[in-house]
Amino acid sequence: MRDVKAITSNLAAVEMMKVEMLTGNVAAAWAARLADVDYIPAYPITPQTEIIETLAKWIGEGVMKAKLVQLESEHSMLTAAGTASLTGARVFTATSSQGLLYGFEMLYNIAGWRAPLVLVNVSRGVAAPVTLEPDHNDVLAARDSGFLQFHAETCQDVLDLILLAYRVSEDRRVRLPSIVNMDGFYLSFTREPVHLPSQEMVEEFLPPYIPTLPFRASRPVVKGASVLGGHIYTYFKHNIHESMRRAIEVFEEASRHYGELTGRVYRPVEGFYLEDAEYVLVMSNSFTTMGKRAVLRLRDRGVPAGLVKIVMYRPFPSDQLAELLKNRKAVAVLDQNISPGMGGIIYQEVAGALYHQRNRPEVLMSVIGGLGGKYISLEEFEYIFDVLQHPEGRKPNTPLFLFRKDELESVKRALGLAGLGGEMG
Amino acid sequence: MLKIRFHGRGGQGVKTSSRILGRAAFLDGFIAQDSPIYGAERRGAPVVSFTRISKTPITERGFIFDPDIVIVMDETLLNDWLARPLEGVKKGGAVFVNAVSGFPPPAGHDDKVFITYDLTGMALEIIGKPIISSPAAAAAAKITGLISKSSILEATAEELAELDLKDELLEKNIQLAAEVYDVIPTPAINTQESEPITREVSPLEYEPVTHEEVIHLDISNLGNSALRRTGNWRIFKPIVDPQKCTGCLVCIIYCPDSCITLDENNKAVIDYDNCKGCMICLRECPLRAISSVREVRVYA
Ligand code: SF4
Ligand code: SF4
């Protein structure tokens, strides 16, 4: 471990921050450790397990003080997480894909209970077919549950966004749980340098969580009571929605504070080479790094390309997004997910955000790629920008589906092996 | 369109009543719609169901807020602040109450016809159980003045057969429905089709108010279930015979509402404000020290 100066010019007290080679999983574990979480209910699933193993090791060694319990399923895990959070414990947990879906109904409960825990989802395509590699159908399924969602591009983002998530979730103006998403393999098992804020910094940034009317053995309280009436139900749902909308502002406020301490400032949506960009790609998560590389290449060739990264997916920063995208010539939304029969999920939300924007881009194109972790080559990214520059003749409501010819050849060989015809059949 | 709302308690057959009436109307060539609404299922808890009968297609669904006819299957519901069975009954409409004896219309309701009849007594006599789905439906059918006797009996047979009732019980229910149909009068119902209210409104009336703070879905009001007296749910009342009671505590353990205690003589005492009449204590008492009598109350 070596010390480097934090990469910022205007840090008042220039903190010495440790930099370490960490996987996304270990970065997540570090965030939980720095946040001084009290309780970690767990259930193993690839590619998330390393997070829990790391925390278990630290707790075993005595360098971290928390209670880690392995439950018998993700459903029990999330139930334990939510209820523990209501006692006033700071709760951390993690899952992935089928695991998230197995515990799914509890997501809505945890949000309705106003239990501000943080759940890390390590994205993995949802079976069938079975895969271990990432796409975002798993995390986007939780879109409407009342969890805030933050999507990480780098292992550094994983650590920082978890700390930010605790701060925003526990804020009295929000009091809703968060999901921090990282891509399986591309982040979870990928090591890269990560700056670790000091414990003092995190303590200053993250005040203790003070629960509202916590569970106590000496004082029973009902949480999440049944209401049996549409109007009472609506009243509470509306309040969740309002709290969620407030979270954008609370996040920006927290992020400014985090920036003062660490030099790293996050925005709900972030631009890359946007200033004079005419052709813009909207995307999120780890593949964004590859998208940025394509933008740089195009810039070298004189193409006014740019990129918008969605960091905060719930609440959806519609206004901020519309502001960044106005006056552009053409915009593509890359969805690493698919809603069969419709297309890309985030595309629809971007379209909704832009509808009322004056000077909205004339072309808004949906692109689907990276399903099940399918690699998106530089050429494919460049192809997206080619189409954006020459959209003539494309059907507006038909997504551009990234799938290369050589990949088709490979599929054919696999089909042959499976005895389903094809070249070797 | 004629709208009928049934109010009763879980276990009385409220949902089945609305279905029998709905099917009878259907058999008589009307367009009908029937539906129930209830919360967590619990014997004795208030239940409500609806039947709409029309000659033209029905463009409504769900709760009936402005019934032409209300059937109150348990008179104690008249006092229930949650059930509020008389709420919204149209002027000129009819209210049927299952009660042991008649009473004058409650204040503010003298513009409606009130009919009372002891359906429970009749059900106990003929079928031996306080289940009144078929007689309540028959009463409602007769009050509408639209439904033929043959249709209500056919509908009763079909609906109860769907519930897998034994033939003997089915026969008795049909007999019960027929007798009730004959004895209940058809009042003149002088209601108007309700018009949607048109008035100047501020949009705020239709949109939620913004809250600057988080509203937690918590109940911290300790022990507030005591505010909800369940004593008026009883159709039967358990009576402890102190001569037989040995104070063995069995009934105390089994009572789901914790309303039995022992007195200074070690005899079981029942808190009738909260005893809901489930009769579990009667079944569990090893000394057979508990008997039951029909609860008779007169609404006033
Ligand atoms: S179960 Fe019977 S004998 Fe025992 S306490 Fe109750 S009433 Fe008395
Ligand atoms: S009938 Fe008996 S068991 Fe049931 S509530 Fe009353 S006292 Fe309790």
Side-chain angles (χ1 to χ4, degrees):
Chain A
M1 195 176 276
R2 68 197 175 92
D3 290 329
V4 296
K5 279 197 175 159
I7 39 143
T8 159
S9 49
N10 62 349
L11 269 184
V14 181
E15 290 281 348
M16 301 298 274
M17 271 192 284
K18 293 202 175 73
V19 186
E20 272 253 56
M21 283 290 286
L22 301 180
T23 60
N25 279 343
V26 176
W30 261 109
R33 176 169 164 178
L34 288 167
D36 193 20
V37 301
D38 303 300
Y39 181 59
I40 306 158
Y43 192 80
I45 182 169
T46 304
Q48 161 276 143
T49 310
E50 189 191 11
I51 302 176
I52 302 304
E53 286 169 351
T54 307
L55 290 168
K57 182 169 147 274
W58 286 338
I59 293 169
E61 290 167 358
V63 294
M64 184 177 169
K65 221 174 133 276
K67 182 119 180 115
L68 188 148
V69 179
Q70 180 162 323
L71 280 299
E72 73 276 15
S73 74
E74 286 86 355
H75 189 278
S76 312
M77 176 186 94
L78 289 174
T79 309
T83 44
S85 171
L86 295 178
T87 66
R90 183 170 283 159
V91 176
F92 175 83
T93 187
T95 188
S96 174
S97 189
Q98 320 289 138
L100 183 71
L101 299 187
Y102 194 68
F104 196 76
E105 64 147 327
M106 290 317 297
L107 297 178
Y108 278 71
N109 274 303
I110 293 167
W113 296 341
R114 300 313 197 97
L117 57 90
V118 174
L119 163 69
V120 166
N121 181 65
V122 184
S123 264
R124 160 179 155 185
V126 180
V130 178
T131 182
L132 297 176
E133 289 188 72
D135 66 34
H136 304 138
N137 268 80
D138 60 355
V139 69
L140 296 188
R143 176 184 78 169
D144 308 326
S145 63
F147 270 67
L148 282 71
Q149 280 200 20
F150 304 94
H151 292 193
E153 179 193 342
T154 65
C155 296
Q156 183 71 61
D157 288 359
V158 171
L159 183 140
D160 293 338
L161 289 174
I162 291 171
L163 295 174
L164 280 157
Y166 274 114
R167 164 93 173 244
V168 179
S169 279
E170 290 172 4
D171 191 291
R172 282 182 178 282
R173 293 163 290 177
V174 178
R175 278 296 151 98
L176 285 167
S178 285
I179 290 176
V180 175
N181 192 66
M182 77 169 104
D183 284 337
F185 290 84
Y186 287 88
L187 290 189
S188 73
F189 299 149
T190 300
R191 289 206 311 166
E192 57 192 18
V194 174
H195 292 253
L196 291 172
S198 67
Q199 192 65 56
E200 297 72 50
M201 259 185 215
V202 176
E203 269 161 30
E204 190 193 327
F205 173 68
L206 198 57
Y209 158 44
I210 310 206
T212 313
L213 209 62
F215 281 135
R216 291 280 178 270
S218 55
R219 192 192 53 207
V221 49
V222 174
K223 297 272 181 187
S226 74
V227 295
L228 303 177
H231 61 295
I232 309 181
Y233 186 84
T234 304
Y235 177 83
F236 282 101
K237 280 285 174 186
H238 176 252
N239 192 255
I240 289 176
H241 174 66
E242 283 191 317
S243 309
M244 182 74 101
R245 294 306 300 171
R246 271 198 299 273
I248 296 181
E249 206 183 298
V250 174
F251 174 75
E252 287 185 321
E253 184 186 297
S255 183
R256 277 193 297 275
H257 187 193
Y258 196 71
E260 284 162 19
L261 292 167
T262 66
R264 292 185 299 278
V265 182
Y266 289 81
R267 309 292 320 277
V269 274
E270 293 178 4
F272 181 76
Y273 280 78
L274 263 197
E275 207 166 314
D276 58 345
E278 293 176 8
Y279 306 102
V280 176
L281 176 61
V282 179
M283 62 184 300
S284 66
N285 288 284
S286 68
F287 280 38
T288 310
T289 307
M290 285 121 78
K292 286 176 176 169
R293 180 166 166 236
V295 168
L296 288 176
R297 275 251 299 217
L298 289 156
R299 284 278 169 176
D300 282 346
R301 296 211 301 267
V303 180
L307 186 146
V308 167
K309 176 173 75 170
I310 297 176
V311 176
M312 183 185 229
Y313 181 64
R314 275 294 177 275
F316 194 66
S318 311
D319 295 343
Q320 290 82 345
L321 192 67
E323 186 61 31
L324 290 185
L325 294 180
K326 74 177 184 203
N327 294 320
R328 311 292 170 186
K329 271 201 180 129
V331 170
V333 182
L334 174 57
D335 270 290
Q336 201 173 351
N337 64 73
I338 181 163
S339 173
M342 177 59 199
I345 295 170
I346 301 179
Y347 169 73
Q348 303 159 35
E349 304 206 353
V350 175
L354 284 175
Y355 187 84
H356 294 285
Q357 178 67 48
R358 268 174 201 281
N359 310 322
R360 64 185 183 205
E362 198 171 312
V363 175
L364 183 66
M365 185 172 72
S366 170
V367 184
I368 291 175
L371 297 185
K374 187 197 100 66
Y375 189 70
I376 304 180
S377 61
L378 198 53
E379 294 70 31
E380 284 165 276
F381 277 111
E382 291 184 1
Y383 177 65
I384 296 170
F385 281 99
D386 280 353
V387 177
L388 276 187
Q389 291 169 78
H390 305 286
E392 310 80 26
R394 287 203 73 88
K395 282 199 204 138
N397 281 323
T398 307
L400 187 167
F401 219 103
L402 296 177
F403 193 70
R404 295 193 313 270
K405 208 169 172 190
D406 58 308
E407 291 170 330
L408 178 62
E409 295 308 317
S410 163
V411 170
K412 280 186 184 161
R413 280 194 299 278
L415 288 176
L417 282 172
L420 294 173
E423 276 158 17
M424 294 177 75
Chain B
M1 177 164 49
L2 213 54
K3 308 183 203 183
I4 299 98
R5 193 169 74 200
F6 294 85
H7 290 267
R9 297 193 176 277
Q12 279 188 307
V14 183
K15 174 178 166 184
T16 309
S17 288
S18 67
R19 290 186 148 214
I20 294 173
L21 183 62
R23 188 184 286 268
F26 173 69
L27 292 172
D28 271 339
F30 291 98
I31 295 174
Q33 186 195 72
D34 54 58
S35 62
I37 195 166
Y38 39 79
E41 284 177 70
R42 190 170 167 208
R43 186 162 289 258
V47 179
V48 57
S49 68
F50 318 99
T51 308
R52 291 182 170 93
I53 301 172
S54 175
K55 288 193 173 116
T56 53
I58 296 168
T59 55
E60 293 181 8
R61 289 193 183 285
F63 201 95
I64 294 178
F65 294 99
D66 55 345
D68 301 278
I69 299 168
V70 155
I71 308 291
V72 185
M73 292 164 71
D74 185 316
E75 61 165 317
T76 62
L77 287 169
L78 290 170
N79 280 329
D80 191 295
W81 67 272
L82 262 181
R84 297 190 299 275
L86 300 185
E87 197 166 272
V89 186
K90 284 184 199 164
K91 187 166 172 278
V95 178
F96 174 87
V97 184
N98 171 30
V100 178
S101 51
F103 48 83
H109 292 285
D110 41 19
D111 54 356
K112 287 137 211 159
V113 186
F114 273 72
I115 302 166
T116 48
Y117 196 77
D118 183 14
L119 296 184
T120 306
M122 209 161 165
L124 286 172
E125 197 178 296
I126 297 179
I127 57 177
K129 287 182 181 175
I131 299 172
I132 53 168
S133 46
S134 51
K142 188 67 178 295
I143 291 169
T144 64
L146 301 173
I147 311 291
S148 64
K149 186 173 177 182
S150 61
S151 291
I152 197 73
L153 298 186
E154 189 182 336
T156 302
E158 285 182 31
E159 292 297 332
L160 297 185
E162 274 187 19
L163 298 177
D164 280 339
L165 239 60
K166 291 209 183 71
D167 284 351
E168 190 200 355
L169 201 54
L170 213 149
E171 285 306 318
K172 285 180 176 170
N173 267 286
I174 292 170
Q175 182 200 339
L176 184 56
E179 286 188 23
V180 169
Y181 190 90
D182 288 340
V183 43
I184 300 293
T186 299
I189 293 178
N190 294 310
T191 52
Q192 304 287 316
E193 285 284 338
S194 304
E195 290 288 330
I197 304 161
T198 39
R199 60 193 161 119
E200 291 282 316
V201 288
S202 99
L204 267 181
E205 268 190 71
Y206 293 98
E207 291 185 43
V209 181
T210 292
H211 290 283
E212 291 304 331
E213 75 284 1
V214 168
I215 315 271
H216 288 266
L217 180 49
D218 295 346
I219 300 175
S220 61
N221 199 357
L222 247 193
N224 68 350
S225 56
L227 302 175
R228 183 94 180 115
R229 306 255 151 163
T230 48
N232 67 353
W233 294 12
R234 277 194 310 273
I235 293 166
F236 292 101
K237 183 178 187 175
I239 311 271
V240 179
D241 178 351
Q243 302 309 123
K244 291 187 188 160
C245 173
T246 60
C248 74
L249 301 175
V250 167
C251 59
I252 295 180
I253 290 162
Y254 275 95
C255 173
D257 280 34
S258 302
C259 46
I260 314 182
T261 46
L262 288 187
D263 66 10
E264 62 279 6
N265 302 320
N266 248 10
K267 304 289 177 193
V269 199
I270 294 171
D271 163 16
Y272 290 115
D273 282 345
N274 291 298
C275 162
K276 61 178 182 172
C278 68
M279 293 302 148
I280 289 174
C281 54
L282 177 143
R283 251 174 288 142
E284 297 300 335
C285 172
L287 277 289
R288 304 204 184 287
I290 302 178
S291 57
S292 84
V293 296
R294 168 131 190 245
E295 187 71 73
V296 178
R297 276 154 302 199
V298 177
Y299 176 80

